[in-house]
């Protein structure tokens, strides 16, 4: 069949183009692709054909169908190839010796394994490509097909795929390839099409389905099967947010990127590198078990030519990318899988098992493991399942859609493990005392043998029992093995202590029920011991957050929430503080509730632990916007402390500081300041001026001064706190960065816009690097940065899109009703009003005002001040009388709540004077403007922007009263000061020169 060669015009050899059909199992698609491209490079035509014939089709007919095409058929062989169907070895040998031998000139083969193939495959004369380099593989392929190599084409397009034996440049802990992976060919092809058949830009595909359906196995097979198409393949376990951020961030050093050790900084570097395609443009990142769609914007790279694959139970990923629903096995997949692992059963028997367990992949794996190990007849197995070797369990919610008969199958499997490898069962019981998902089981090996219970001491010994037990559980598909712990940093080899396994949550629920017994508390005690030994000890250090994220889900399963052991209690309290510091408020509130439910029966209400729990809970309550609850709880704690004969002064200090914070949020600013000032005095006396607790109290005093409108004193305090924190803590510590934000805000409120902008720009860059883009503290800093840019009046800069994008991120993190989100809603509404979008401005400002009233009540400075913003909007809409009513109400309310000289009151007075002017009440307008100017000079200084706005407004009122000489004098003085302090081209200066009436936007701030 080899075509005759002929001579080319230059005398060199040439050969006629031939046609080849490359037939391959889906498992070997990369090899089929490489073979096809190499043959095409030598001028031949190739048809790639995934060959996976039905078991019901005669093998001779299936092979005969391949010969219907013209040319030769090249079979891609391995031990996997002969499991297609699956079929008995005898059937394969008969067809190879008969039909294939009779058509030997039409068939050829390559061999991709070092394992022995069926003897009859000799008729195919397969050429061995296993374990050799690309050049030699190509030479052997051409020799086998009796083809001459051609000269390389200078116009050939470089192949997008690598030689399959060459690994990607970066391979990120993808689970080992499942040698028993079955079927799913259509799904894998659908995923590939979803990722590749899109417009340029990072493609996102989500594999969605119920637990145990095989999403993770499918994603892992995709990574292995299509790895030659990528230079970077990175796996991110995403069932826990902290673990996800840590693992994703570890891609930075793997890519050779220069970044710090904090997850936020690393993620920023990774996203930027993936977007740019530098150093690699062909990348695949897999997020396994990611349920939180709202986090996508902060994690997924924007743009780039790579691919993102997600596994999830959440169908909400449709808003982010394509969603591929993962169904149960097709019946042929179920029976094929069962027959491969249990070769003794027939197709009809496999079908009966598949019917029993409804083709659920996870259950197929365990039924196959049991049948294959015991070689039990299927009728006997099903009889045991139906009769029930255990008593039925009520409310087995972990099973979800799994049939109840699967419990019996699992019980049989555990009995088998108990008989064949009892230490494996002991290890399984220990795993059940961790949370489902990734289990850092290797940490147990770090415990000294003498500190372990007798039945578990073998784990810490250097014996072969450990790997044998792990292998046993993995072989039975109870766990999957992993080689690392999620918090292992780069540069450290993964030793025994970093070893981890993964247990599916359905499996975990079944194991927990079927292995419960008298020794459960012994195993839980070991897990608690391990967790305590892993406690980083500093929840405020962002470098320790990955470890806390790893510990957090283990607390309840290990019994740590019910422990009275001092170190365990401190670990729980540390996790609560981690939730606050890392911005995980919802998680923190849930943990606080569960801890309190347990501790109320373990500790007295005024015990040290209950008081500390209350303090940490109120911090999260305040951060969540639940101010009244926080105040009530802090008041109760203070009463308990004061009732003690000798209250602990440090604990009193902390309780008073918490109560001061509550008072600030409730609008009781003078009380809050006095209480916080006393706290700072006590801290300096007891602990010293530079101690971190004192500095935290001093920071809160700066907040209290800011709310009182004493911006200069607030800046003095905040600057001192910043300098001391930089000396005591590291410069990138979250507390230090908090002080950076405070100083920048003070500078802006003092009217030093350019100084504020310079400081805040640097601060935001650092916070993104350290904490990440969606950390609450970063969002707070970005909000202030947007306001700094607006006030600085940077020429040609439109901050509208920045505010809209920031608002979207705020809503993803906080939700619409959160007080931190409402601040930005208000500022964006004010911006839109100024720029003419009155409809959207009204929607935003009305939403903010109503929600503030519901949140803090009617008699609070913030909802009172919000009336002034709504008044400006009504004025812009032409309703001058209605606007003036709101201006006057806001002014009267703030005078009552804050006094005549508070900057918020003075700002409302500025607007009220303008409203009086526009409604013809000129004398009253001038009188109010003159009084406002006098008070702003006294409160804020001669050159403050609000003072100069008040001066400009007075000039306008005087001019309206025909008092032109005084008006010109007042106006000229204001223009000179504006030009000197803000610049001739600043928007305030230009507006004053054009005699545009100044106004004041109320910026809500709760502290």
């Amino acid at each position: 069949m080899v075509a005759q060669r002929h001579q080319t015009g230059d005398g060199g050899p040439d050969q006629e183009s031939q046609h080849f059909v490359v037939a391959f199992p889906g498992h070997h698609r990369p090899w089929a692709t490489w073979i096809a491209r190499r043959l095409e490079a030598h001028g031949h035509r190739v048809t790639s054909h995934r060959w996976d014939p039905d078991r019901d089709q005669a093998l001779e007919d299936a092979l005969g169908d391949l010969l219907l095409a013209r040319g030769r058929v090249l079979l891609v062989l391995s031990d996997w190839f002969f499991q297609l169907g699956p079929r008995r070895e005898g059937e394969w040998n008969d067809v190879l010796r008969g039909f294939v031998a009779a058509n030997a000139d039409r068939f050829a083969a390559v061999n991709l394994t070092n394992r022995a193939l069926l003897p009859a495959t000799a008729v195919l004369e397969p050429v061995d490509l296993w374990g050799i380099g690309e050049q030699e593989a190509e030479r052997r392929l051409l020799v086998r097909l009796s083809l001459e190599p051609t000269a390389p084409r200078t116009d050939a397009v470089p192949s997008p795929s690598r030689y399959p034996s060459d690994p990607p440049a970066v391979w990120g802990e993808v689970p080992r390839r499942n040698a028993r992976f079955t079927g799913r060919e259509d799904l894998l092809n659908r995923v590939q099409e979803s990722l590749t058949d899109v417009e340029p830009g990072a493609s996102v595909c989500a594999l969605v389905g119920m637990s145990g359906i095989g999403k993770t196995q499918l994603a892992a097979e995709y990574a292995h099967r299509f790895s030659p198409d990528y230079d970077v393949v990175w796996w991110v376990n995403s069932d826990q947010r902290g673990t996800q951020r840590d693992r994703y961030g570890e891609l930075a050093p793997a890519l050779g990127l220069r970044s710090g050790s904090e997850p936020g900084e690393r993620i920023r570097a990774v996203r930027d590198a993936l977007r740019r395609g530098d150093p690699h443009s062909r990348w695949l990142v897999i997020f396994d078990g990611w349920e939180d769609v709202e986090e996508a914007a902060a994690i997924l790279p924007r743009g780039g030519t790579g691919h993102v694959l997600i596994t999830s139970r959440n169908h909400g990923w449709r808003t982010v990318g394509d969603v591929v629903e993962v169904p149960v096995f097709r019946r042929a997949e179920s029976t094929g899988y069962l027959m491969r692992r249990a070769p003794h059963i027939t197709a009809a028997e496999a079908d009966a098992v598949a019917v029993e367990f409804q083709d659920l992949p996870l259950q197929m794996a365990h039924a196959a493991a049991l049948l294959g190990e015991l070689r039990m007849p299927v009728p006997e197995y099903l009889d045991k399942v139906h009769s029930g070797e255990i008593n039925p369990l009520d409310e087995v919610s972990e099973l979800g859609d799994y049939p109840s008969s699967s419990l019996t199958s699992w019980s049989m499997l555990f009995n088998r493990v108990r008989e064949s490898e009892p230490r494996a069962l002991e290890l399984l019981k220990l795993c059940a005392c961790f949370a489902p998902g990734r289990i850092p089981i290797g940490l147990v090996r770090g415990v000294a043998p003498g500190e372990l219970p007798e039945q578990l001491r073998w784990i810490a010994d250097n014996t072969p029992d450990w790997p044998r037990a792990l292998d046993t559980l993995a072989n039975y598909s109870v766990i999957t093995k992993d080689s690392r712990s999620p918090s292992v940093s780069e540069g450290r080899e993964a030793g025994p202590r970093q070893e981890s396994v993964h247990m599916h949550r359905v499996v975990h629920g079944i194991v927990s029920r079927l292995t419960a017994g008298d020794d459960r508390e012994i195993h839980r005690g070991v897990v608690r011991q391990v967790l305590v030994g892993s406690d980083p000890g500093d929840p405020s250090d962002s470098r320790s957050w990955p470890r806390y994220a790893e510990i957090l889900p283990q607390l309840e399963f290990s019994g740590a929430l019910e422990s009275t052991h001092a170190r365990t209690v401190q670990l729980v309290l540390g996790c609560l503080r981690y939730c606050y510091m890392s911005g995980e408020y919802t998680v923190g509130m849930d943990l606080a509730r569960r801890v309190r439910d347990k501790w109320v029966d373990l500790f007295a209400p005024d015990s040290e632990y209950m008081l500390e729990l209350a303090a940490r809970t109120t911090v999260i309550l305040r951060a969540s916007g639940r101010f009244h609850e926080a105040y009530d709880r802090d008041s109760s704690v203070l009463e308990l402390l004061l009732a003690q004969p000798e209250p602990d002064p440090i604990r009193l200090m902390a309780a008073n500081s918490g109560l001061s914070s509550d008072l600030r949020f409730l609008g009781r600013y003078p009380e809050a300041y006095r209480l916080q000032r006393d706290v700072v005095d006590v801290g300096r006396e007891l602990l010293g001026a530079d101690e971190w607790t004192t500095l935290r109290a001093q920071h809160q005093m700066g907040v209290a001064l800011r709310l009182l409108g004493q911006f200069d004193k607030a800046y003095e305090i905040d600057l001192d706190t910043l300098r001391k924190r930089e000396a005591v803590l590291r410069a990138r510590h979250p507390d230090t960065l908090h002080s950076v934000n405070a100083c920048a805000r003070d500078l802006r409120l003092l009217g030093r816009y350019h100084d504020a902008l310079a400081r805040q720009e640097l601060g935001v860059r650092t916070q993104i690097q350290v904490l990440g883009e969606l950390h609450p503290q970063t969002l707070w800093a970005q909000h202030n940065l947007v306001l700094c840019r607006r006030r600085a009046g940077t020429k040609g800069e439109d901050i509208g899109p920045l505010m809209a994008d920031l608002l979207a991120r705020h809503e993803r993190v906080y939700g619409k009703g959160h007080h931190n989100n409402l601040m930005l809603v208000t500022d964006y509404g004010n911006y839109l009003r100024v720029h003419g979008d009155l409809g959207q401005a009204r929607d935003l400002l009305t939403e903010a005002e109503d929600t503030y009233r519901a949140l803090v009540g009617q008699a609070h400075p913030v909802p009172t001040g919000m009336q002034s913003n709504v008044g400006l909007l009504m004025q812009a809409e032409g309703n001058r009388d209605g606007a003036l009513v709101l201006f006057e109400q806001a002014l009267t309310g703030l005078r009552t709540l804050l006094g005549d000289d508070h900057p918020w009151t003075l700002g409302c007075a500025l607007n009220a004077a303008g409203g009086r002017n526009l409604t013809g009440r000129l004398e009253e307008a001038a009188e109010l403007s003159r009084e406002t100017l006098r008070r702003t000079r006294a409160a804020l200084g001669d050159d403050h922007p609000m003072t100069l706005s008040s001066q400009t407004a007075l000039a306008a009122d005087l001019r309206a009263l025909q008092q032109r000489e005084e008006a010109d004098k007042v106006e000229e003085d204001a223009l000179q000061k504006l030009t000197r302090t803000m610049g001739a081209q600043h928007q305030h200066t230009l507006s004053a020169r054009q005699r545009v009436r100044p106004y004041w936007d109320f910026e809500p701030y709760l502290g």
Side-chain angles (χ1 to χ4, degrees):
M1 293 293 295
V2 179
Q4 295 295 317
R5 292 195 298 270
H6 62 85
Q7 297 294 323
T8 61
D10 61 2
D14 196 6
Q15 57 189 344
E16 187 175 313
S17 174
Q18 298 188 44
H19 179 253
F20 294 92
V21 176
V22 179
F24 64 95
H27 189 82
H28 290 315
R29 178 182 293 275
W31 277 102
T33 301
W34 177 83
I35 290 168
R37 285 179 175 150
R38 296 325 304 146
L39 292 176
E40 288 169 348
H42 290 282
H44 303 286
R45 294 177 298 111
V46 179
T47 300
S48 295
H49 180 71
R50 178 172 62 83
W51 193 64
D52 190 5
D54 258 352
R55 193 191 173 283
D56 296 335
Q57 184 182 18
L59 186 53
E60 183 173 321
D61 292 342
L63 286 166
D65 288 345
L66 295 176
L67 297 182
L68 295 176
R70 296 178 58 188
R72 302 176 70 185
V73 176
L74 180 66
L75 302 178
V76 181
L77 302 183
S78 70
D79 47 337
W80 184 264
F81 185 90
F82 295 103
Q83 295 181 27
L84 295 175
R87 303 172 189 275
R88 305 293 183 211
E89 288 187 8
E91 183 180 357
W92 270 108
N93 282 325
D94 290 344
V95 172
L96 288 170
R97 291 171 181 146
F99 177 80
V100 174
N103 294 278
D105 59 336
R106 296 287 308 278
F107 285 101
V110 296
N111 177 27
L112 303 179
T113 181
N114 63 341
R115 298 180 183 177
L117 299 179
L118 297 177
T121 55
V123 70
L124 294 167
E125 300 179 14
V127 61
D128 190 2
L129 301 187
W130 182 84
I132 60 174
E134 182 172 18
Q135 217 170 11
E136 174 62 13
E138 182 173 353
R139 187 194 68 79
R140 292 187 184 185
L141 174 66
L142 296 177
V143 168
R144 173 63 185 89
L145 297 175
S146 302
L147 301 175
E148 293 289 341
T150 61
R153 292 172 51 188
T154 57
D155 63 339
V157 178
S159 171
S161 295
R162 285 185 325 280
Y163 179 57
S165 290
D166 292 342
V170 177
W171 181 257
E173 301 298 340
V174 179
R176 296 181 223 185
R177 193 169 196 180
N178 183 0
R180 303 184 181 108
F181 186 86
T182 295
R184 304 295 204 178
E185 298 293 340
D186 293 338
L187 277 175
L188 288 165
N189 291 336
R190 165 80 189 281
V191 172
Q192 187 198 33
E193 291 170 2
S194 171
L195 293 174
T196 55
D197 295 349
V198 293
E199 295 296 322
S203 303
V204 179
C205 177
L207 295 169
V208 176
M210 72 181 205
S211 295
I213 206 69
K215 303 182 294 293
T216 297
Q217 289 292 324
L218 191 62
E221 176 62 22
Y222 180 89
H224 286 280
R225 184 171 297 191
F226 294 98
S227 63
D229 295 338
Y230 301 100
D231 299 315
V232 175
V233 180
W234 196 257
W235 188 277
V236 181
N237 287 287
S238 304
D239 49 354
Q240 300 160 26
R241 181 177 183 271
T243 302
Q244 179 195 52
R245 287 172 53 79
D246 178 51
R247 182 71 191 122
Y248 188 38
E250 286 183 359
L251 181 52
L255 291 174
L257 305 179
R258 300 183 63 180
S259 65
S261 60
E262 293 85 356
E265 180 179 358
R266 287 183 168 186
I267 290 173
R268 179 194 60 78
V270 166
R271 294 180 70 201
D272 185 56
L274 297 181
R275 176 185 58 80
R276 291 183 289 106
D278 182 18
H280 301 286
S281 60
R282 303 189 312 165
W283 48 264
L284 171 67
V285 179
I286 301 171
F287 296 93
D288 184 37
W290 193 4
E291 306 302 335
D292 190 357
V293 180
E294 300 300 324
E295 288 283 326
I299 295 292
L300 295 180
R302 299 177 181 176
T305 56
H307 298 159
V308 173
L309 185 58
I310 297 165
T311 73
S312 179
R313 299 191 304 272
N314 188 346
H315 286 75
W317 289 104
R318 297 184 190 282
T319 61
V320 177
D322 192 18
V323 166
V324 173
E325 186 81 31
V326 181
V328 296
F329 272 156
R330 289 185 293 110
R331 181 55 49 81
E333 292 172 333
S334 295
T335 57
Y337 183 82
L338 289 165
M339 293 174 70
R340 288 189 188 101
R341 293 200 64 181
H344 68 285
I345 70 176
T346 66
E349 290 172 333
D351 188 78
V353 175
V355 169
E356 180 66 39
F357 298 116
Q358 302 173 11
D359 297 295
L360 293 163
L362 185 61
Q363 187 57 50
M364 290 298 98
H366 292 286
L370 192 61
L371 288 166
E373 171 70 20
L374 298 179
R375 297 192 64 81
M376 182 186 295
V378 169
E380 180 184 347
Y381 169 72
L382 291 177
D383 284 345
K384 289 178 178 292
V385 169
H386 294 152
S387 62
E389 291 195 348
I390 58 172
N391 292 326
L393 298 177
D394 297 329
E395 299 179 0
V396 189
S397 58
E398 291 88 346
L399 289 177
D401 294 327
Y402 283 70
S404 58
S405 58
S406 64
L407 275 175
T408 304
S409 176
W410 281 88
S411 180
M412 293 163 61
L413 188 146
F414 293 155
N415 288 336
R416 175 61 179 170
V417 173
R418 182 181 290 107
E419 295 168 2
S420 63
E421 190 64 46
R423 286 188 168 174
L425 187 63
E426 202 68 36
L427 183 60
L428 186 61
K429 293 178 181 179
L430 185 62
C431 287
C433 295
F434 286 90
R438 184 185 292 273
I439 298 173
I441 193 65
L443 294 174
V444 183
R445 304 200 74 189
V447 181
E451 297 178 9
L452 289 171
E454 185 175 353
Q455 67 265 42
L456 293 175
R457 287 176 185 169
W458 60 272
I459 292 178
D461 295 332
N462 189 19
T463 68
D465 292 341
W466 170 262
R468 186 163 58 243
L470 284 177
D471 287 342
T472 297
L473 297 179
N475 289 338
Y476 281 117
S477 300
V478 179
I479 62 170
T480 55
K481 295 201 300 184
D482 196 359
S483 60
R484 65 184 297 282
S485 167
S487 50
V488 175
S489 60
E490 74 285 355
R492 290 178 56 191
E493 294 184 5
R497 296 187 187 184
Q498 282 73 51
E499 196 163 22
S500 60
V501 299
H502 191 279
M503 182 181 287
H504 193 281
R505 69 182 190 90
V506 172
V507 177
H508 185 278
I510 296 172
V511 170
S512 297
R513 289 174 177 267
L514 297 183
T515 62
D518 295 337
D519 53 357
R520 171 61 61 86
E521 277 309 308
I522 295 175
H523 292 96
R524 295 176 89 197
V526 171
V527 176
R528 291 195 295 273
Q529 187 178 357
V530 168
L531 297 180
V532 167
S534 303
D535 185 358
D538 187 3
S540 64
D541 188 342
S542 61
R543 293 171 297 185
S544 68
W545 292 350
R547 176 61 75 182
Y548 279 109
E550 186 181 46
I551 292 173
L552 193 63
Q554 311 298 339
L555 295 178
E556 184 159 6
F557 287 91
S558 67
L561 303 186
E562 304 158 30
S563 173
T564 58
H565 188 274
R567 292 186 63 191
T568 306
V569 170
Q570 289 303 322
L571 172 66
V572 172
L573 292 171
C575 287
L576 272 173
R577 180 156 174 74
Y578 151 74
C579 290
Y580 169 71
M581 295 300 298
S582 63
E584 298 286 355
Y585 303 145
T586 302
V587 175
M589 284 308 306
D590 178 64
L591 177 61
R593 176 189 55 76
R594 288 185 286 123
V595 173
R596 184 172 179 81
D597 288 345
K598 301 291 185 183
W599 284 12
V600 72
D601 296 326
L602 300 175
F603 305 112
D606 62 347
S607 67
E608 176 186 356
Y609 296 147
M610 289 298 285
L611 293 172
E612 186 66 25
L613 172 62
R616 304 206 176 188
T617 303
T618 53
V619 168
I620 300 176
L621 281 169
R622 278 195 298 274
S624 303
R626 297 161 66 174
F627 311 129
H628 293 284
E629 290 179 63
Y631 176 78
D632 291 342
R633 188 161 298 191
D634 279 330
S635 299
S636 299
V637 168
L638 191 59
E639 289 178 9
L640 287 172
L641 286 170
L642 293 174
Q644 294 177 346
E646 296 183 4
D648 181 348
I650 304 300
R651 193 164 293 284
L652 269 176
M653 173 184 164
N656 279 313
S657 185
L659 195 61
S660 173
S661 296
D662 300 328
L663 291 169
R664 288 200 311 272
F665 280 102
L666 294 174
R668 296 159 63 177
Y669 303 146
E671 294 175 75
Y673 169 68
R674 289 192 295 271
L675 189 56
Q676 194 66 41
R677 183 188 58 198
D678 293 342
V679 169
V680 172
D681 290 342
V682 171
R684 289 170 177 168
E685 179 182 350
L686 294 178
L687 303 172
D690 295 342
E691 198 271 340
W692 74 271
T693 307
T694 304
L695 292 177
R696 182 159 291 175
Q698 185 170 299
H699 175 86
Q700 298 301 328
M701 186 167 72
V703 176
L705 286 166
R706 194 179 306 125
L707 284 166
L708 286 172
Q710 299 179 27
F711 304 141
D712 51 349
K713 292 182 180 179
Y715 180 62
E716 181 182 340
I717 287 290
D718 287 332
L719 188 59
D720 180 67
T721 306
L722 172 61
R723 289 167 176 164
K724 289 176 178 176
R725 279 177 164 173
E726 286 177 336
V728 175
L729 307 171
R730 57 193 174 93
R732 295 161 66 88
H733 190 281
D735 284 358
T736 308
L737 296 175
H738 212 18
S739 289
V740 171
N741 289 340
C743 288
R745 188 180 186 94
D746 294 335
L747 287 170
R748 180 171 60 79
L749 294 174
L750 286 168
R752 296 168 58 180
Y753 298 145
H754 293 287
D755 290 343
L757 177 60
R759 183 167 300 209
Q760 195 65 34
E761 283 179 332
L762 177 60
V764 165
R765 286 198 298 271
T766 307
Q767 303 219 32
I768 290 174
Q769 292 171 356
V770 174
L771 302 172
E773 283 188 310
L774 289 187
H775 189 279
Q777 192 168 307
T778 304
L779 292 174
W780 194 90
Q782 289 176 317
H783 182 182
N784 189 48
L785 176 60
V786 168
L787 294 179
C788 287
R789 285 178 172 166
R790 185 182 180 196
R791 301 306 176 203
T794 305
K795 188 175 181 180
E797 182 177 26
D798 180 10
I799 65 167
L802 295 177
M803 297 187 84
D805 178 68
L806 185 58
L807 179 57
R809 280 184 279 146
H810 268 69
E811 290 181 351
R812 283 196 297 271
V813 173
Y814 297 116
K816 281 184 171 293
H818 193 277
H819 63 94
N820 282 341
N821 187 57
L822 294 177
M823 287 192 293
L824 184 56
V825 167
T826 302
D827 293 331
Y828 188 35
N830 288 335
Y831 172 86
L832 291 172
R833 182 203 77 236
V834 173
H835 289 78
D837 190 346
L838 302 184
Q840 188 178 359
R842 172 166 288 282
D843 291 341
L844 293 175
L845 292 175
T846 303
E847 171 196 339
E849 183 185 18
D850 292 346
T851 310
Y852 271 126
R853 292 191 188 282
L855 192 64
V856 295
Q858 186 81 13
H860 189 287
V862 167
T864 302
M866 284 293 297
Q867 294 177 101
S868 189
N869 288 333
V870 178
L872 288 172
L873 177 65
M874 295 179 68
Q875 190 169 266
E877 292 172 333
N879 185 357
R880 295 179 175 180
D881 292 331
L884 180 57
V885 170
L886 291 182
F887 292 147
E888 298 287 4
Q889 287 178 355
L891 177 58
T892 301
L894 289 181
R895 279 175 170 169
T896 302
L897 294 168
L898 301 177
D900 292 339
D901 296 325
H902 193 286
W904 289 359
T905 306
L906 297 173
C908 284
L910 177 67
N911 290 341
R916 292 178 183 182
N917 181 295
L918 290 175
T919 54
R921 298 164 59 180
L922 303 182
E923 292 284 354
E924 296 176 42
E927 180 183 356
L928 182 56
S929 290
R930 197 179 296 277
E931 179 188 1
T932 303
L933 176 59
R934 178 178 60 81
R935 290 185 182 277
T936 53
R937 280 177 172 160
L940 299 171
D942 288 350
D943 295 336
H944 192 280
M946 184 180 288
T947 303
L948 298 178
S949 292
S950 299
Q951 190 169 342
T952 304
L954 175 59
D957 292 332
L958 291 171
R959 186 170 290 104
L961 291 171
Q962 306 300 315
Q963 299 176 21
R964 291 188 175 86
E965 182 176 352
E966 184 181 2
D968 291 344
K969 182 179 179 180
V970 171
E971 182 182 65
E972 182 60 28
D973 182 62
L975 286 171
Q976 289 178 2
K977 290 177 179 176
L978 281 168
T979 303
R980 184 182 74 250
T981 59
M982 310 193 75
Q985 298 303 311
H986 191 277
Q987 56 188 358
H988 285 357
T989 308
L990 295 174
S991 294
R993 196 171 298 281
Q994 296 165 5
R995 294 181 175 172
V996 176
R997 180 87 192 196
Y999 60 86
W1000 175 77
D1001 285 335
F1002 174 67
E1003 295 177 10
Y1005 177 54
L1006 292 175

